[in-house]
Each structure stands twice: as structure tokens, then as C-alpha cells.
Amino acid sequence: MTAFLNANQIKEQVSLVDMLTRLGHAPTHRSGKELFYKSMLREENTASFCVNEQLGVWYDHGGENRSGIKGGNVIDLGLAYWHPASFREVLEKISTLCNVDSLAPALDETLRNKRPRLAVADAIPVAPSYKINTTKELGTHPAISRYLQSRGIWELAQGKLKEVYYTVESNGRSKSYFSAGWQNEAGSWELRNKIGDKEFKACLGKKAISFIPGDPQHLVIFEGYMDYLSWIKDNPEATDSVLVLNSINLLNAGIAKARDFSHIGVYFDHDPAGTAGLEKLKQELPHAVDKSAVYEGYNDYNAKLMAEPVKRMPWEEDRVYENNVNLSAITAI
């Protein structure tokens, strides 16, 4: 993936408010269409760092910071915040922090080395388009099965996830991919897979929450679908309605959906974004209850599940033959 595509994706997918939340910063107040923060670029007592969420721009009305950048878009904020990191380093930091969806993984290194250098004007790619070729039940593609097994949710995912096969076209190039996926309320597919040693997250279509109806009074809320599936293992008989945000950036949509429920359990991540999201949710819905203590010591519910030792049947134990022989010898004495 080129730096140009990374930059375009970040501008389109990352909101300033979400990025600041993930960095652990919350606004002190709102004035009209603008949110005001205490500047994270320098020391100050009165909030003068301004964000216009609708326009996607920010401006620091206070003094100078180390970078000399006083305003701009989300990438400009990254350049100021992580100064003196390079442009590419900042793109990588924002992508990692905000889980920027990548519809097409980076080109193979060999192909990149063979590609002729393009002029800047020619290097800016058109937005990628996609086509869903087919969806299948789990168990068809061994790589998807291995990925779900590595997350500890293979059995839990049956009937809830699909294998999604799709094609992405960008800059005249077309390539086919596959991932595990589920649909959100917009009918789009949320995708998860593992490419090399990196987690792959993407959405084919419009980003939205996912809702599984159940008990009309009891609701449980998760940031991610893997956490929801992990919760099922500990609560196999639960009948609660389930709301998966698919991104903490969709918290407002989640709050609107949750207003109709009298009992709300919240399972957000143990990180700055999850903490800030919980605080905002409880401000809007004071009866919501933080349930994250169940995975205390882990970032999220799925991390706890993955850390649990795999239960093996007696015939699957290591050295089972030798152990049985030793046991027989002891019994015979």
C-alpha cells in the first residue's frame, strides 16, 4: 500500500475526535459546532485546542508547540503530536492506533521493487472498488479456520460468521481475497483475518454497528465481534440482546440503539479509548454497568479467552502411552 493510499484512507476513515479519544484525550466543553480540549501538544490550564468534527479540522489557539504546526487535518495532528516522526511513520502510527481499514494489503515487495517510479500526480490512486464473489459456511478454507482457532472462537463462531470471498480493484489492478466476516446493520461485511503476523480488519461497504435481538430489556455491548463470541463461551445460556459497535467511533449510534433497554452491561477494552467510551456512554445512560472486571488484567474479553490453556481430552495428552505404562507398573507393585 502506498503512502498516498494510506493518507487518503486515513483522511476518509479517521475522525479527529476518535483519534484523540484513543490517545486518551476528552473535550472539556462544546461551543457551537466546535469541541475544545486542553492542548495535548503543550502545557496549558485553559482549553484552547479546537476541533470542528464536521469539517474534520483542528486549530490550537494557544502558544507554540515543538512542531510549529498549529492546525490542519488528522494527519497534521499526527505530525504535531509525534514530532519529529516522518510522514510515513505518522501514517503507520495513526493506522495502528485507529485500526484503519485496508481493503487491499500492501503489494508484494518484489512487485513494488519492479514497479516503475510514477510522477506524484500519477501516483495518487483512485478509491478502491470491491465485489463480493460469494459467501460460504465456515470450514471451507483452512486458513480462515486456523485463524478462528487461534482466537479461541472456532466453535463459538459456527452459524455466526461466514467465509467471505471478494475482489478488490484499485488503480486498474484486481485481486481476490478471503476473510471471516459478519454483516452490520447497513448490510455491509465486517472482515477479520490474519495476514502474516498482522491482524487484518476491514469493512466492505458502509461502517455500522451490528445488533442481535434478544431480551427486550437486557442488552450487552461490545466493541468487537470477537469479544462478543468470547462472552458466549462464559454465558452459553444468556438471552440478552447484543450490540457490537464494530468501532468505538460508532459509539453514538450504539448509544441511540441502547436507549430502549433498562439493563445494560458494557464490555469495552481496557485502554484509553475504551475507558473514554465507557465514560461517555455512562453520561448518556447512567444505568449502564461496566462488566469488564471479568477480564481484568487483559485488554479485552478475547485476549482473556486466548490466554486460557486449551483443554485436552485424556487421549490427546503428551506421552499418554508412557504415562499409562508407568501407572500400570505402579499398580502392579
Side-chain angles (χ1 to χ4, degrees):
M1 186 185 301
T2 68
F4 296 102
L5 180 52
N6 272 338
N8 286 340
Q9 282 185 303
I10 286 170
K11 290 176 184 177
E12 292 173 359
Q13 297 181 19
V14 178
S15 83
L16 283 164
V17 173
D18 181 44
M19 178 172 161
L20 288 169
T21 299
R22 290 172 183 269
L23 289 171
H25 302 283
T28 62
H29 65 280
R30 176 185 290 272
S31 178
K33 297 181 180 180
E34 298 177 332
L35 294 171
F36 283 83
Y37 297 73
K38 286 186 178 180
S39 180
M40 65 296 306
L41 306 178
R42 54 186 174 75
E43 293 290 334
E44 73 169 355
N45 295 321
T46 302
S48 61
F49 184 96
C50 172
V51 172
N52 187 312
E53 190 174 14
Q54 183 176 356
L55 297 178
V57 296
W58 62 277
Y59 187 79
D60 193 346
H61 293 275
E64 292 293 328
N65 60 70
R66 293 181 305 153
S67 70
I69 302 172
K70 296 195 65 175
N73 58 33
V74 67
I75 296 176
D76 296 314
L77 175 58
L79 291 168
Y81 189 85
W82 286 296
H83 177 79
S86 69
F87 183 77
R88 182 175 290 278
E89 289 172 339
V90 167
L91 296 185
E92 292 174 353
K93 287 178 181 291
I94 298 175
S95 297
T96 300
L97 177 71
C98 300
N99 296 325
V100 174
D101 295 337
S102 173
L103 289 178
L107 292 172
D108 181 81
E109 187 69 27
T110 304
L111 294 178
R112 281 207 300 268
N113 292 337
K114 291 181 179 180
R115 184 187 299 171
R117 184 176 296 275
L118 301 176
V120 171
D122 296 329
I124 301 176
V126 297
S129 59
Y130 68 89
K131 175 185 176 183
I132 296 175
N133 300 318
T134 188
T135 61
K136 300 179 181 179
E137 296 299 326
L138 296 179
T140 303
H141 203 294
I144 296 177
S145 300
R146 286 195 299 270
Y147 168 67
L148 297 177
Q149 289 164 357
S150 73
R151 299 294 296 264
I153 58 169
W154 168 249
E155 292 84 3
L156 306 164
Q158 303 302 314
K160 295 180 175 62
L161 299 184
K162 298 280 190 180
E163 293 182 357
V164 183
Y165 297 82
Y166 58 101
T167 302
V168 175
E169 183 174 336
S170 181
N171 292 329
R173 298 182 180 87
S174 180
K175 192 169 182 178
S176 296
Y177 301 97
F178 56 86
S179 292
W182 65 93
Q183 284 188 292
N184 60 35
E185 282 202 317
S188 304
W189 285 95
E190 303 282 345
L191 305 178
R192 296 294 183 272
N193 207 343
K194 194 167 187 178
I195 301 176
D197 60 349
K198 293 185 178 181
E199 292 286 328
F200 171 75
K201 298 181 179 182
C203 178
L204 295 179
K206 182 180 178 181
K207 200 75 173 159
I209 62 175
S210 296
F211 181 73
I212 301 97
D215 188 312
Q217 298 299 321
H218 292 78
L219 175 73
V220 287
I221 308 178
F222 304 89
E223 286 190 45
Y225 209 89
M226 302 303 180
D227 297 321
Y228 155 55
L229 293 177
S230 303
W231 171 81
I232 290 178
K233 184 173 183 179
D234 289 342
N235 302 271
E237 304 299 323
T239 59
D240 309 58
S241 293
V242 177
L243 194 159
V244 180
L245 296 179
N246 292 319
S247 170
I248 196 68
N249 198 34
L250 296 176
L251 181 59
N252 287 337
I255 290 173
K257 191 82 171 182
R259 291 190 185 280
D260 295 333
F261 292 84
S262 57
H263 298 82
I264 303 173
V266 186
Y267 297 85
F268 284 177
D269 294 358
H270 288 150
D271 59 18
T275 301
L278 175 65
E279 182 179 343
K280 180 178 180 181
L281 189 149
K282 287 181 68 66
Q283 288 174 353
E284 298 289 334
L285 305 171
H287 60 289
V289 178
D290 178 17
K291 297 286 190 177
S292 67
V294 70
Y295 44 92
E296 187 66 38
Y298 299 94
N299 185 65
D300 55 43
Y301 216 133
N302 186 241
K304 170 182 173 289
L305 176 62
M306 292 173 64
E308 294 176 355
V310 178
K311 294 181 179 179
R312 306 171 72 179
M313 300 304 291
W315 55 84
E316 296 177 314
E317 295 292 339
D318 295 333
R319 303 179 64 186
V320 63
Y321 175 76
E322 293 91 333
N323 292 339
N324 285 340
V325 170
N326 293 337
L327 180 60
S328 298
I330 293 172
T331 305
I333 294 174

